[in-house]
Amino acid sequence: GPWLGAWTVFAAAISNIALFQAELSADAFQLMGMADRGHIPKIFSKRSKHGTPTNGIILGTAVIVVMGTSNFDQLIEMLN
């Protein structure tokens, strides 16, 4: 019925948010590892007091915001 459809949409939305956060975190840790090895600037190797690669998360968020506000046709051209 309708309640099952609503529950499925809700569960899919929560799953999508969790997947986004996991991907953003993995990318930030990859940047931190590259900075530790000297491949990119050391600013990305800095961690917060909780061990979070803050600068990598900020960079990832900035890239997502810029790409999210871009024209879709421009993104396709950029990726091809």
Side-chain angles (χ1 to χ4, degrees), residues 4 8 11 18-19 22 25 27 29 42 51 55 63-64 68 71 77-78:
L4 182 59
T8 303
L19 181 63
S25 177
D27 292 344
F29 276 101
K42 285 284 186 188
N55 293 329
V63 168
I64 290 168
N71 185 357
E77 288 178 14
M78 191 169 40

Side-chain angles (χ1 to χ4, degrees), residues 2-80:
W3 64 272
L4 182 59
W7 181 252
T8 303
V9 169
F10 175 74
I14 296 298
S15 176
N16 200 8
I17 290 169
L19 181 63
F20 169 75
Q21 289 179 339
E23 181 68 29
L24 184 63
S25 177
D27 292 344
F29 276 101
Q30 286 177 352
L31 286 173
M32 186 185 67
M34 291 170 61
D36 287 342
R37 293 179 180 265
H39 297 295
I40 60 176
K42 285 284 186 188
I43 193 169
F44 293 107
S45 66
K46 183 181 176 193
R47 291 181 179 227
S48 71
K49 65 180 179 177
H50 303 291
T52 306
T54 308
N55 293 329
I57 290 175
I58 291 170
L59 176 66
T61 303
V63 168
I64 290 168
V65 167
V66 168
M67 293 182 82
T69 59
S70 298
N71 185 357
F72 185 71
D73 292 332
Q74 291 174 342
L75 291 175
I76 297 297
E77 288 178 14
M78 191 169 40
L79 294 174
N80 283 335

